[in-house]
Amino acid sequence: MVSIDEVARAAGVSSATVSRALSGRGHVSPATRQKVLQVADELGYVVSSAASSLASGRTRNIGVMLPDLHRWFFSTVLTGISEELSRRGYDLTLYNVTDDAQVRQEIFSSFLRRRRVDGLIVVAMELDADEIDQLTGLGIPVLTLGGSNPRLPGRAIDDHGVAHLAVEHLLRLGHRRIGRIGAEASFNRDFHVPARRENGFRDALAEAGLSADRQLCVTADFTVEGGHRAAKSVLGRSTSAPTAVVAFSDEMAIGALLAARDLGLEVPGDVSVIGIDGHDLGPLFGLTTVDQHPLGQGGRAAREILELIEGTEALPTDDADADLPYDLVVRSSTSAPRIESVSAPH
């Protein structure tokens, strides 16, 4: 490996000047900084992480805790975090916190205490009091994403508002028999996301003078396959089938689109379908959705944890719902119903 002394000799400056030029700390003229950067690049010099850590007291490494690596939403958030950290010259250490209680305890009690990270982003995981105590005891910034906590700074989406907007869109089109593909009870473990979306779904109907029809409300597991099975059980009825379906994730909504196709139903003529997320496959399927910008969520979380590390921002630790943006994206999977003639609400 090329040493800092070799870069200094080639650039005709001192090793201290090279260190200041590469780190951005301390005074170095623009011309000298540019020369050092050019020489370092030509020689293939890479900053030693160990030496940099000793000098700065930082590892330039951010920890990310995730409950599930297999679901599209989490992997997309992780991509957003990783891309932003890479741009800022930081590494990423991933902690996959599974349902195994022993693994979870080991991560909190052992892995994190090795102090190999400068900060930690906790994605969509509700922490108990003991876990929060352990995190705050590390002496590093901790940011939650996907849920708020009164003791930790964080960012969250307004899940009630997201579902409310989806139903509101269908109501404005004139739909009255609206089905729902929600989530099974086990998914309410962290921050009660399905329950909040359920409340948004029901409140939007109530504001239009309607109530949720239990026969039109089914649950699944946030997967395409689960959405397909759930949608078939509702759309396959010869009578009292819904003219529109709200799915609490885009993957389940895509499953509903496939179920409609299997049943010979035309979308959106026979049934409109709307999802929530902003999935990459949404445009391919013409899926109307409420986009919560997961890639952007990850990038924002990365920027904000670095701001906390550098002391340039202090995030509030109170309820952070509605901090993260979401938008209705209308595509070809929704339209006015053929059957119903009731005018849309104003």
Side-chain angles (χ1 to χ4, degrees):
M1 292 180 62
V2 177
S3 71
I4 193 170
D5 292 334
E6 291 175 274
V7 175
R9 284 194 296 272
V13 298
S14 69
S15 297
T17 298
V18 172
S19 179
R20 290 196 299 272
L22 295 178
S23 68
R25 293 187 293 272
H27 175 71
V28 179
S29 70
T32 299
R33 186 186 306 277
Q34 182 59 38
K35 182 178 181 180
V36 169
L37 292 174
Q38 181 178 344
V39 170
D41 183 62
E42 291 173 352
L43 295 178
Y45 175 74
V46 178
V47 177
S48 166
S49 59
S52 177
S53 177
L54 286 172
S56 66
R58 295 179 182 173
T59 65
R60 298 194 70 81
N61 188 20
I62 302 299
V64 179
M65 297 180 68
L66 279 170
D68 192 338
L69 296 179
H70 299 97
R71 286 169 53 188
W72 171 85
F73 177 81
F74 294 131
S75 64
T76 304
V77 169
L78 182 61
T79 298
I81 295 173
S82 177
E83 288 178 350
E84 184 64 28
L85 291 180
S86 294
R87 281 192 288 268
R88 300 283 291 271
Y90 276 75
D91 293 322
L92 182 154
T93 295
L94 179 62
Y95 300 99
N96 184 199
V97 185
T98 67
D99 289 333
D100 188 317
Q102 185 175 352
V103 171
R104 181 166 179 143
Q105 176 60 28
E106 181 70 11
I107 289 174
F108 279 90
S109 64
S110 178
F111 291 0
L112 292 173
R113 292 187 177 278
R114 295 172 185 169
R115 294 185 174 274
R116 292 176 178 172
V117 297
D118 295 327
L120 183 68
I121 301 172
V122 182
V123 181
M125 288 177 52
E126 193 159 9
L127 308 173
D128 62 33
D130 181 61
E131 290 171 340
I132 294 174
D133 287 341
Q134 293 186 67
L135 293 185
T136 55
L138 294 174
I140 60 173
V142 178
L143 177 71
T144 64
L145 180 64
S148 54
N149 186 290
R151 295 176 57 194
L152 295 171
R155 301 297 187 189
I157 201 82
D158 179 3
D159 285 295
H160 179 283
V162 163
H164 191 285
L165 180 59
V167 177
E168 191 175 50
H169 170 66
L170 297 176
L171 290 169
R172 285 174 176 167
L173 290 173
H175 292 277
R176 293 298 180 272
R177 289 191 58 76
I178 300 175
R180 181 270 286 154
I181 303 177
E184 296 160 355
S186 61
F187 289 93
N188 266 310
R189 179 187 59 189
D190 293 309
F191 299 113
H192 309 289
V193 169
R196 293 187 182 196
R197 292 184 181 177
E198 180 70 16
N199 289 337
F201 168 77
R202 292 176 179 270
D203 286 349
L205 290 177
E207 290 166 16
L210 303 171
S211 58
D213 186 336
R214 287 189 300 176
Q215 292 185 325
L216 304 183
C217 295
V218 290
T219 59
D221 58 0
F222 282 107
T223 67
V224 173
E225 295 81 4
H228 182 269
R229 288 191 300 270
K232 265 197 168 182
S233 70
V234 173
L235 299 178
R237 297 173 181 156
S238 58
T239 59
S240 71
T243 63
V245 172
V246 177
F248 284 1
S249 79
D250 278 355
E251 289 178 90
M252 293 193 295
I254 290 171
L257 292 176
L258 297 175
R261 182 197 64 183
D262 292 348
L263 294 168
L265 299 175
E266 181 183 326
V267 177
D270 296 317
V271 60
S272 288
V273 177
I274 184 170
I276 295 172
D277 273 342
H279 199 289
D280 295 340
L281 293 177
L284 179 64
F285 284 90
L287 177 65
T288 296
T289 186
V290 179
D291 190 349
Q292 60 171 317
H293 311 291
L295 192 70
Q297 286 188 32
R300 177 171 174 171
R303 289 190 296 274
E304 291 186 345
I305 195 67
L306 296 183
E307 288 167 356
L308 288 172
I309 290 169
E310 296 164 4
T312 57
E313 180 179 352
L315 301 181
T317 56
D318 55 0
D319 195 335
D321 284 351
D323 271 357
L324 297 173
Y326 56 90
D327 301 287
L328 176 66
V329 180
V330 180
R331 299 192 181 101
S332 60
S333 69
T334 54
S335 71
R338 283 178 181 168
I339 301 173
E340 297 177 357
S341 59
V342 181
S343 60
H346 300 288

